Amino acid sequence: MVPIVPFAWSICCLAFVGRISARIDHANLSPKDILNYDVCVIGGGAAGTYAAIRLRDLNKTVAVVETQGRLGGHTVTYTDPASKATIDIGVIVVNDDDLTKKYFGRFNISLTVANFDTPGVTTEPVDFRTGEIVKGYAPPNGTAAYRAYAVQLAKYPFLDLSLGNIPQPVPADLLLSFGDLIKKYSLQDAIPQFYSYGQGFGNILNLPALYAFKYFNVNNFQTALTTTGSDNSKLYRKAQAELGADALLNSNILAMDRSDPDLVEILVKTPSGRKLVKAKKILSTIPPLFSNLRGFDLDATELPLFKQYMYHTYYAGLLNNSGIPDTRQLQNVGIDTPYNLPILPAAYYISPTKIPGLHFFQAGTPETEVLSSRQIQAEVVASIKRMRAVGTLPSTNATPNYAIFAHHVPYSIYVPPSVIATGFYNKVFALQGRKNTYWSGAAFVTHDSSAIWKYTETLINDIAA
């Protein structure tokens, strides 16, 4: 079976949609509705949860404002009701580094080397548009091409930590599309490897090379870790238990006032009513799309930057009653497409899991298209029915259904090369600390949980000061 690492090295929080920023009316707030903290963290995904725990360890008081009813963002774990076995369908692995192991160790969570080889499972190339097996398809041996890619990657050590150290002028190769970069350096044979790691980026050939280099990084060449039992949500459950009432779940930012040089105020809609959080500093870790920041009092420096961000999509889930034998993994292969990449929207792979009869899939859309959960679910089921109709899968009247489905939108925040070339990221990172506000998350690093923690760690002392 082809080792697939969906959402590899990735954690980030889901969209945090607030109200349009409004003036804070203090007159309608009672004393019990005013909450005082050293730091207000907005977003409870990888960066937000990590920062909250680290700041608490430095004896700082911290509130975490999170739109979901749990911490963890894109980290989603399914628990089988019968066997109680767990399967991660969001964040799958983390890096084998000291900071990561120390973070998990703080909560007494064991890590083990990730292994995606499944004996007895064969991968079959299928064009999901027709349901037909793509006869004669064999992926190339990408070893030499991947080594050649590593040579190119080594030219950009400033990308190791974050997107905040890009020189001006921006190196020309970083502004190429990934497809053009692949052609320039004859990396075509590595495309299946990139494809196996690169779900959620639309057509990866259109992805600006900057983001490809940042995501397909040195960690792809190293050992990956995962939690024992495949339950990455355990990290967030334990963090949530420690934060207790300081984690304001199911909550949205309504308004914000950062005009005072010594104090920020955030009006929050919570399940128990409106609360005014007063803090010395803010750390925002949500995807910095303008639609996510409507409760923020963005100024003339911030607003033009955040309005330029765009995003991709990623969907994942577990299927019952698919009729797919547990010995088969189905890879979506385009019979007539460049490098046999699949045409989106579609599932990338459908793979067996450790629970018999339960199959994992990941799906995406083109970078110009966003579909609802219902539309993606319908497309995945339709592709299975096409395979049945042409004999690729056994014929059955069983209707596939979803044990769990995760709608990871927005995902992979980006700007086009023309914007990157203007020094966009230098301007964005210059916002750190301005108006007592700091920024972190996947949009500032990449979808790599350990990398997000590593970058967030560089902000902790300044936030705590």
Side-chain angles (χ1 to χ4, degrees):
M1 183 173 84
V2 174
I4 306 305
V5 189
F7 250 52
W9 292 276
S10 66
I11 304 180
C12 78
C13 56
L14 294 177
F16 191 103
V17 181
R19 299 277 194 260
I20 295 173
S21 186
R23 186 178 182 86
I24 298 176
D25 185 358
H26 296 78
N28 292 326
L29 294 166
S30 66
K32 67 180 180 62
D33 294 325
I34 299 176
L35 311 176
N36 293 286
Y37 291 94
D38 291 319
V39 181
C40 179
V41 175
I42 301 174
T49 301
Y50 177 85
I53 295 300
R54 284 285 291 114
L55 290 165
R56 282 173 62 95
D57 287 347
L58 294 174
N59 297 315
K60 298 299 177 180
T61 57
V62 185
V64 178
V65 182
E66 169 55 46
T67 188
Q68 297 190 87
R70 62 176 180 84
L71 300 182
H74 288 306
T75 303
V76 180
T77 305
Y78 172 76
T79 301
D80 180 57
S83 66
K84 306 304 178 185
T86 53
I87 298 174
D88 287 315
I89 68 164
V91 179
I92 305 298
V93 296
V94 293
N95 298 335
D96 185 2
D97 61 48
D98 290 341
L99 186 146
T100 296
K101 289 184 283 191
K102 181 178 180 181
Y103 185 31
F104 279 85
R106 187 196 178 286
F107 292 102
N108 296 314
I109 298 174
S110 299
L111 293 170
T112 187
V113 175
N115 182 5
F116 300 100
D117 291 328
T118 308
V121 174
T122 58
T123 299
E124 297 186 9
V126 178
D127 192 322
F128 284 24
R129 294 172 295 176
T130 64
E132 298 275 4
I133 292 176
V134 181
K135 296 179 181 179
Y137 171 78
N141 185 330
T143 302
Y146 216 56
R147 288 174 179 166
Y149 172 78
V151 171
Q152 299 307 314
L153 177 64
K155 295 178 179 178
Y156 311 109
F158 53 82
L159 293 177
D160 287 350
L161 181 63
S162 72
L163 294 169
N165 298 301
I166 301 171
Q168 283 294 120
V170 178
D173 279 357
L174 298 182
L175 302 176
L176 294 175
S177 71
F178 194 39
D180 286 343
L181 183 92
I182 284 169
K183 290 178 182 177
K184 181 175 180 178
Y185 294 104
S186 301
L187 307 174
Q188 290 89 340
D189 286 353
I191 289 178
Q193 182 77 1
F194 295 132
Y195 167 77
S196 71
Y197 283 97
Q199 292 84 38
F201 296 97
N203 183 339
I204 62 170
L205 300 180
N206 297 334
L207 186 69
L210 168 67
Y211 302 111
F213 277 126
K214 194 70 188 80
Y215 184 74
F216 303 118
N217 55 49
V218 294
N219 296 313
N220 295 150
F221 303 91
Q222 299 172 353
T223 301
L225 303 177
T226 188
T227 49
T228 304
S230 300
D231 182 9
N232 287 326
S233 292
K234 183 185 296 185
L235 178 70
Y236 295 94
R237 291 196 300 272
K238 290 197 171 189
Q240 184 174 321
E242 183 167 320
L243 289 168
D246 294 330
L248 306 180
L249 305 178
N250 296 308
S251 299
N252 294 301
I253 303 295
L254 296 176
M256 183 181 292
D257 185 351
R258 296 177 292 162
S259 60
D260 190 318
D262 300 313
L263 180 73
V264 294
E265 294 186 338
I266 308 100
L267 185 63
V268 182
K269 181 181 178 182
T270 77
S272 59
R274 296 187 175 197
K275 306 294 181 183
L276 180 64
V277 176
K278 293 187 175 184
K280 298 174 184 176
K281 293 176 182 176
I282 291 172
L283 171 63
S284 178
T285 66
I286 62 176
L289 299 166
F290 175 61
S291 59
N292 276 5
L293 303 175
R294 286 179 179 169
F296 285 56
D297 58 337
L298 299 178
D299 64 19
T301 299
E302 298 163 328
L303 186 59
L305 293 172
F306 296 133
K307 274 192 168 183
Q308 296 181 78
Y309 276 119
M310 299 182 286
Y311 63 92
H312 296 102
T313 64
Y314 180 83
Y315 313 81
L318 294 171
L319 280 166
N320 280 312
N321 296 324
S322 67
I324 304 172
D326 289 337
T327 56
R328 298 172 70 182
Q329 178 191 54
L330 306 176
Q331 176 184 354
N332 192 351
V333 171
I335 194 170
D336 56 357
T337 61
Y339 313 113
N340 299 110
L341 292 173
I343 297 295
L344 303 176
Y348 299 97
Y349 287 86
I350 304 177
S351 308
T353 68
K354 62 185 177 183
I355 300 173
L358 198 63
H359 286 74
F360 175 70
F361 74 90
Q362 322 96 274
T365 67
E367 51 271 19
T368 56
E369 186 175 3
V370 178
L371 299 182
S372 68
S373 295
R374 182 172 296 181
Q375 289 172 306
I376 287 292
Q377 289 173 2
E379 170 54 34
V380 174
V381 170
S383 67
I384 291 172
K385 290 182 177 179
R386 289 190 289 269
M387 295 179 211
R388 292 176 181 175
V390 299
T392 298
L393 293 178
S395 179
T396 175
N397 292 324
T399 301
N401 60 72
Y402 292 88
I404 187 173
F405 182 86
H407 180 99
H408 297 290
V409 181
Y411 183 74
S412 180
I413 310 301
Y414 72 102
V415 294
S418 59
V419 176
I420 297 170
T422 66
F424 174 82
Y425 282 105
N426 291 340
K427 298 171 189 175
V428 166
F429 279 78
L431 299 176
Q432 294 290 21
R434 188 174 174 274
K435 301 181 72 172
N436 294 313
T437 304
Y438 294 81
W439 309 83
S440 189
F444 299 85
V445 190
T446 189
H447 283 284
D448 177 330
S449 57
S450 296
I452 290 171
W453 298 329
K454 184 178 180 181
Y455 175 66
T456 303
E457 178 64 31
T458 68
L459 303 176
I460 294 299
N461 286 340
D462 286 341
I463 296 171

mmCIF file of all heavy atoms in Angstrom, residues 433-452:
data_model
loop_
_atom_site.group_PDB
_atom_site.id
_atom_site.type_symbol
_atom_site.label_atom_id
_atom_site.label_comp_id
_atom_site.label_asym_id
_atom_site.label_seq_id
_atom_site.Cartn_x
_atom_site.Cartn_y
_atom_site.Cartn_z
ATOM 1 N N GLY A 433 3.892 42.144 17.566
ATOM 2 C CA GLY A 433 4.027 43.038 18.716
ATOM 3 C C GLY A 433 3.360 44.383 18.548
ATOM 4 O O GLY A 433 3.186 45.120 19.523
ATOM 5 N N ARG A 434 3.021 44.728 17.335
ATOM 6 C CA ARG A 434 2.364 46.012 17.077
ATOM 7 C C ARG A 434 0.964 46.007 17.687
ATOM 8 O O ARG A 434 0.232 45.049 17.572
ATOM 9 C CB ARG A 434 2.310 46.240 15.572
ATOM 10 C CG ARG A 434 1.823 47.598 15.125
ATOM 11 C CD ARG A 434 1.975 47.717 13.610
ATOM 12 N NE ARG A 434 1.390 48.949 13.107
ATOM 13 C CZ ARG A 434 0.103 49.074 12.782
ATOM 14 N NH1 ARG A 434 -0.700 48.028 12.896
ATOM 15 N NH2 ARG A 434 -0.364 50.225 12.344
ATOM 16 N N LYS A 435 0.602 47.079 18.354
ATOM 17 C CA LYS A 435 -0.697 47.197 19.019
ATOM 18 C C LYS A 435 -0.920 46.047 20.007
ATOM 19 O O LYS A 435 -2.025 45.539 20.174
ATOM 20 C CB LYS A 435 -1.835 47.269 17.996
ATOM 21 C CG LYS A 435 -1.713 48.451 17.033
ATOM 22 C CD LYS A 435 -2.845 48.526 16.048
ATOM 23 C CE LYS A 435 -4.128 48.961 16.715
ATOM 24 N NZ LYS A 435 -5.207 49.211 15.711
ATOM 25 N N ASN A 436 0.183 45.618 20.642
ATOM 26 C CA ASN A 436 0.146 44.547 21.645
ATOM 27 C C ASN A 436 -0.416 43.241 21.084
ATOM 28 O O ASN A 436 -1.021 42.451 21.816
ATOM 29 C CB ASN A 436 -0.668 44.982 22.870
ATOM 30 C CG ASN A 436 -0.018 46.119 23.624
ATOM 31 O OD1 ASN A 436 1.182 46.081 23.889
ATOM 32 N ND2 ASN A 436 -0.788 47.149 23.946
ATOM 33 N N THR A 437 -0.220 43.024 19.795
ATOM 34 C CA THR A 437 -0.792 41.858 19.127
ATOM 35 C C THR A 437 0.301 41.059 18.439
ATOM 36 O O THR A 437 1.158 41.617 17.751
ATOM 37 C CB THR A 437 -1.838 42.298 18.084
ATOM 38 O OG1 THR A 437 -2.833 43.099 18.717
ATOM 39 C CG2 THR A 437 -2.516 41.087 17.445
ATOM 40 N N TYR A 438 0.226 39.743 18.623
ATOM 41 C CA TYR A 438 1.149 38.815 17.983
ATOM 42 C C TYR A 438 0.349 37.837 17.130
ATOM 43 O O TYR A 438 -0.849 37.637 17.337
ATOM 44 C CB TYR A 438 1.979 38.071 19.038
ATOM 45 C CG TYR A 438 2.908 38.980 19.799
ATOM 46 C CD1 TYR A 438 2.436 39.749 20.871
ATOM 47 C CD2 TYR A 438 4.243 39.104 19.444
ATOM 48 C CE1 TYR A 438 3.280 40.611 21.564
ATOM 49 C CE2 TYR A 438 5.103 39.960 20.134
ATOM 50 C CZ TYR A 438 4.609 40.715 21.189
ATOM 51 O OH TYR A 438 5.440 41.569 21.866
ATOM 52 N N TRP A 439 1.045 37.221 16.161
ATOM 53 C CA TRP A 439 0.377 36.366 15.190
ATOM 54 C C TRP A 439 1.153 35.076 15.016
ATOM 55 O O TRP A 439 2.384 35.090 14.936
ATOM 56 C CB TRP A 439 0.269 37.080 13.837
ATOM 57 C CG TRP A 439 -0.322 38.454 13.913
ATOM 58 C CD1 TRP A 439 0.336 39.614 14.224
ATOM 59 C CD2 TRP A 439 -1.689 38.814 13.712
ATOM 60 N NE1 TRP A 439 -0.538 40.679 14.214
ATOM 61 C CE2 TRP A 439 -1.798 40.218 13.897
ATOM 62 C CE3 TRP A 439 -2.841 38.090 13.367
ATOM 63 C CZ2 TRP A 439 -3.002 40.903 13.763
ATOM 64 C CZ3 TRP A 439 -4.044 38.778 13.231
ATOM 65 C CH2 TRP A 439 -4.116 40.165 13.431
ATOM 66 N N SER A 440 0.448 33.957 14.946
ATOM 67 C CA SER A 440 1.084 32.686 14.650
ATOM 68 C C SER A 440 0.052 31.763 14.008
ATOM 69 O O SER A 440 -1.103 32.135 13.817
ATOM 70 C CB SER A 440 1.670 32.047 15.923
ATOM 71 O OG SER A 440 2.470 30.916 15.590
ATOM 72 N N GLY A 441 0.495 30.554 13.669
ATOM 73 C CA GLY A 441 -0.381 29.595 13.011
ATOM 74 C C GLY A 441 0.193 29.154 11.682
ATOM 75 O O GLY A 441 1.256 29.607 11.243
ATOM 76 N N ALA A 442 -0.518 28.267 11.013
ATOM 77 C CA ALA A 442 -0.026 27.684 9.773
ATOM 78 C C ALA A 442 0.229 28.717 8.689
ATOM 79 O O ALA A 442 1.126 28.541 7.862
ATOM 80 C CB ALA A 442 -1.006 26.623 9.266
ATOM 81 N N ALA A 443 -0.544 29.794 8.655
ATOM 82 C CA ALA A 443 -0.365 30.811 7.618
ATOM 83 C C ALA A 443 0.985 31.503 7.725
ATOM 84 O O ALA A 443 1.463 32.081 6.744
ATOM 85 C CB ALA A 443 -1.486 31.846 7.701
ATOM 86 N N PHE A 444 1.611 31.438 8.879
ATOM 87 C CA PHE A 444 2.899 32.084 9.094
ATOM 88 C C PHE A 444 4.059 31.084 9.006
ATOM 89 O O PHE A 444 5.226 31.491 9.007
ATOM 90 C CB PHE A 444 2.914 32.771 10.461
ATOM 91 C CG PHE A 444 1.867 33.843 10.577
ATOM 92 C CD1 PHE A 444 0.571 33.529 10.936
ATOM 93 C CD2 PHE A 444 2.175 35.156 10.279
ATOM 94 C CE1 PHE A 444 -0.412 34.510 11.015
ATOM 95 C CE2 PHE A 444 1.212 36.151 10.347
ATOM 96 C CZ PHE A 444 -0.090 35.827 10.713
ATOM 97 N N VAL A 445 3.717 29.807 8.939
ATOM 98 C CA VAL A 445 4.747 28.765 8.895
ATOM 99 C C VAL A 445 4.429 27.833 7.722
ATOM 100 O O VAL A 445 4.814 28.068 6.597
ATOM 101 C CB VAL A 445 4.799 27.994 10.234
ATOM 102 C CG1 VAL A 445 6.019 27.078 10.274
ATOM 103 C CG2 VAL A 445 4.848 28.959 11.422
ATOM 104 N N THR A 446 3.708 26.781 8.002
ATOM 105 C CA THR A 446 3.172 25.848 7.015
ATOM 106 C C THR A 446 2.310 24.883 7.796
ATOM 107 O O THR A 446 2.224 24.951 9.034
ATOM 108 C CB THR A 446 4.282 25.104 6.244
ATOM 109 O OG1 THR A 446 3.690 24.369 5.157
ATOM 110 C CG2 THR A 446 5.055 24.151 7.131
ATOM 111 N N HIS A 447 1.684 23.931 7.109
ATOM 112 C CA HIS A 447 0.890 22.927 7.805
ATOM 113 C C HIS A 447 1.802 21.825 8.326
ATOM 114 O O HIS A 447 1.902 20.738 7.780
ATOM 115 C CB HIS A 447 -0.190 22.372 6.873
ATOM 116 C CG HIS A 447 -1.336 23.305 6.725
ATOM 117 N ND1 HIS A 447 -2.289 23.474 7.708
ATOM 118 C CD2 HIS A 447 -1.667 24.162 5.747
ATOM 119 C CE1 HIS A 447 -3.164 24.382 7.325
ATOM 120 N NE2 HIS A 447 -2.798 24.826 6.135
ATOM 121 N N ASP A 448 2.457 22.150 9.407
ATOM 122 C CA ASP A 448 3.429 21.279 10.064
ATOM 123 C C ASP A 448 3.344 21.605 11.542
ATOM 124 O O ASP A 448 3.793 22.666 11.983
ATOM 125 C CB ASP A 448 4.818 21.559 9.486
ATOM 126 C CG ASP A 448 5.932 20.766 10.145
ATOM 127 O OD1 ASP A 448 5.817 20.450 11.338
ATOM 128 O OD2 ASP A 448 6.929 20.486 9.465
ATOM 129 N N SER A 449 2.745 20.707 12.309
ATOM 130 C CA SER A 449 2.477 21.015 13.710
ATOM 131 C C SER A 449 3.739 21.352 14.485
ATOM 132 O O SER A 449 3.785 22.320 15.242
ATOM 133 C CB SER A 449 1.742 19.846 14.367
ATOM 134 O OG SER A 449 2.488 18.649 14.234
ATOM 135 N N SER A 450 4.766 20.543 14.313
ATOM 136 C CA SER A 450 6.007 20.786 15.053
ATOM 137 C C SER A 450 6.640 22.110 14.652
ATOM 138 O O SER A 450 7.205 22.826 15.483
ATOM 139 C CB SER A 450 6.985 19.638 14.819
ATOM 140 O OG SER A 450 6.473 18.431 15.339
ATOM 141 N N ALA A 451 6.570 22.451 13.359
ATOM 142 C CA ALA A 451 7.110 23.734 12.901
ATOM 143 C C ALA A 451 6.317 24.899 13.482
ATOM 144 O O ALA A 451 6.897 25.942 13.829
ATOM 145 C CB ALA A 451 7.093 23.789 11.374
ATOM 146 N N ILE A 452 5.018 24.746 13.595
ATOM 147 C CA ILE A 452 4.183 25.786 14.198
ATOM 148 C C ILE A 452 4.559 25.979 15.659
ATOM 149 O O ILE A 452 4.691 27.113 16.133
ATOM 150 C CB ILE A 452 2.694 25.432 14.059
ATOM 151 C CG1 ILE A 452 2.268 25.536 12.587
ATOM 152 C CG2 ILE A 452 1.827 26.334 14.923
ATOM 153 C CD1 ILE A 452 0.881 24.996 12.311
#
